[in-house]
Amino acid sequence: MQNNPHTTLITSDAPVAANSHGGRAKCLQRLVRLEMPVPRTVALSFDAVQRIAKGQVPDIAAILDQFDQTALLCVRPSSEDPDWGGPGAILNIGMNDARYVDLSDSMGGEAAAALYLRFVQSYAVHVARLDADVFDDIDADGREGLQQSLRAYDDETDEAFPQDRGEQLIAVLRSMARAWDGTSARLLRQAKGAPVDAGLGLVIQEMIPGVGQGECGSGVLQLIDPTTGMPQLTGRYLSQSQGRDALGAGVAALYLEKDPRGKSLEEVAPTAFADLKTHAALMRVKLKEEMQVEFVIENGHVHILDGVRVQRSARAAMRIAVRLAEDGIITPQEAVMRVDPHSLNELLHRQVHPEARRDVLTTGIAASPGAATGKLVFTAAEAQASAARGEPCILVRRETAPEDVRGMHAAVAVLTEKGGMTSHAAVIGRGLGLPCIVGALDMRFQTRKKLLTASDGRVFKTGDILTIDGTSGQVLAGQPAMLEAALDDCFQTLMGWADSERDIAIRANADTPADAQTARNFKAEGIGLCRTEHMFFDPGRLIVMREMIFAQTSSGRAAVLERLLPMQREDFVQLFRIMEGQPVCIRLFDPPLHEFLPTTRSGQRELAEALDLPVSDVERRVAAMTEYNPMLGLRGVRLGVTVPEIYDMQARAIFEATLETSKNGAPIVPEVMIPLVSAKREVELVKARIDSVAASVASEQGVEFEYRLGVMVETPRACLRADEIAPQTSFLSFGTNDLTQMTYGLSRDDAGRFMSAYVRQGVFVEDPFHVLDADGVGELLKLGSERGRQAQPDVTLSVCGEHGGNPESIAICRDLGFDYVSCSPFRVPVARLAAAQLAISSRLGG
Ligand code: PEP
Ligand code: MG
């Protein structure tokens, strides 16, 4: 059998490989090579298991020859990647009436009966495929329970329980081989990334009876805490011997750590305990991984049944990788590759504790990660009042508008009925690092009545406590336990390693000094998008802004702009100071106008007071300015062309702030970006005015300065005409939110309604607002960047849509040779790590 690669005893030099026999078989061989006390094990290859599934009977006699005649056996799955799972292990094969009698002598009748009974029931359910409820009526344990179970088996199958070890083994192998081919098993593993043709290997291992006078028992042990990743011995141990005496029960738990209820393993079996620690430490070094050691202790001697990669939380995964690299076991690059960038979200924000009970009311779109618990409030004003009282609150709105921004600042989380990944609440929530769920369509939002009704009928009102889990999109009742964010040394170390590998820059989208500070803390290399309209969502400014929009004459508008200029200048001074000479890209005004129009009666009344007009006038004006399709209306450069004074004011504020900040520090080179361009002429018109403002400011202050003018490429036409747009600019930044919206003809704010149905039915592989659509939008990016570069070879290329923080989308940008991506500040670390992984794997030829 040694020579048969498909059915082989696992020895140091047996032909066993992970891609032919599975990860478990390969791991066991490594343990054998490390001379660990592994019980005899036979590995069946993927081919062998496939043949068994098709009905071919393996040479069972040859397999059984490898084991002691009386040995009990177990069979475990061995898929190529252990995470793909497989059918559950079947233990104690070979147990029958005769062995039961023998074992009753050595281990006692009750323990032997318990062993046999467990085998009969597991064989019945998993191998003979009987319903588990066949055994429902059996409430006796021990001998009586065993007899009843054997009878139940007989009644159901019309056959006596098989007594022959070979017959039992064949049936077990066949059932496990076939279970792997079942539809649900297939779907489950494919969801975990397994290929369609993933194979299953099986390992047949001799069981250690664990009987004798000395300490006997079984357990698992690992060197770390799987939640935190901190070095700490953890595990479980079930004693067959000490527990009986110590606690008067058949079996009792003995704890690895000293515990008031029992003795520690170290006390009852010091040598075995020391051996286990040595084995675990050796596995860590040689297998380059934190492993859980599965062991049996028999008469004080350790047997190692298996080594399994420790299941771990995201934060533990990061700490494990960093510690392995710091200990010289793996390289820093390997550590960088081992941490899933998506999982960083779990470290950057508070999370619901993985073990907390979740009372899920609904699942919406997970628009901004992290979790927070608070009292429900239904208006921005209530949110502010709640924050003033020091009470954390969750702002519930059907959708958010600029008026809600102050409430969002005051809230700990936001929940909206409408919206998608790039709707107002989502974008602001991510910018603030605020947990946010949008598109919670299953719930009934009655914001006037201040009621929120779950689909199961539960009604929540102002002050009731909910938890928003923006990482999973789940709205939870009550207050589950939380896990705090973990931006510790380990995180900084890993990020440092990532940065030294990366070959694409990462900037942040930041609108406020607080955003900019977060961006700096996360080591963004500049601001890639400052949305200036967000600067006016502050209540004091919103009203001025509305006055400006409502001004009917150029002189009226100029007067309001005069008031806005110093505010804007101060905004930019603050941003420039915080960014300390790093590039800051300021996008000129791009308001879908409706975001600035007061929609509520109270908002309209407030505006009427400010403008000294009757409310009815305001209402009329709002109605007149309302657009059928504001996202395609008077936005972006269209406003710049038709009401040029706004851009003039902004350009002046940027340039004056540039000179002011440059006085005391390194010279600032601001970047000014024109949004929503679709034609070359738009750029020409705006550029001429901005150049002229720059010349005026320089001459007024007697100081020359530089600035870079760029275009935001976010309409399909701008991509197509990039060759004629690029020569007028220093940079092209692709706004993939609008570009996705316009390429698909899909509303950013409304697509949430049907997105999940579309993804479920495979119309879209993913929400294209979340992961850049490589085929369509990606094609436009390719075309636009190629045409732009051809016409203007040193044009800087970047993406500043929300996709900039998404690892799959960053890969597309990097492939296209972009200079940087820009994303919400809290996604900067995710982007840094993802970009590093792309650089490392492309160097490795992956
Ligand atoms: C975009 O459209 O991709 C973008 C970044 O701009 P906004 O989301 O502000 O429209
Ligand atoms: Mg846009």
Side-chain angles (χ1 to χ4, degrees), residues 529 531 533 587 590 631 635 675-676 712 714 735-739 741-742 748 800-801:
L529 172 64
R531 293 174 162 107
E533 59 280 1
R587 177 178 79 184
D590 175 23
M631 291 303 274
R635 273 184 68 187
L676 219 75
M712 195 158 173
E714 50 185 343
T736 47
N737 301 336
D738 274 308
L739 192 56
Q741 168 166 265
M742 293 187 218
R748 288 164 65 163
C800 62

Side-chain angles (χ1 to χ4, degrees), residues 377-459:
V377 293
F378 291 84
T379 65
E382 282 175 359
Q384 286 180 303
S386 180
R389 290 193 302 273
E391 291 174 3
C393 66
I394 294 171
L395 179 60
V396 178
R397 304 288 295 153
R398 302 198 70 172
E399 62 189 325
T400 62
E403 293 147 318
D404 296 311
V405 172
R406 54 192 147 151
M408 292 179 77
H409 275 277
V412 294
V414 177
L415 171 66
T416 70
E417 179 186 26
K418 297 184 180 176
M421 278 307 282
T422 57
S423 61
H424 182 267
V427 172
I428 303 278
R430 277 196 296 277
L432 296 175
L434 203 63
C436 175
I437 297 175
V438 299
L441 296 168
D442 281 354
M443 297 188 104
R444 182 151 181 238
F445 286 64
Q446 289 166 288
T447 44
R448 281 223 191 117
K449 288 188 177 164
K450 303 193 175 176
L451 293 176
L452 182 68
T453 309
S455 56
D456 65 5
R458 275 187 278 178
V459 181

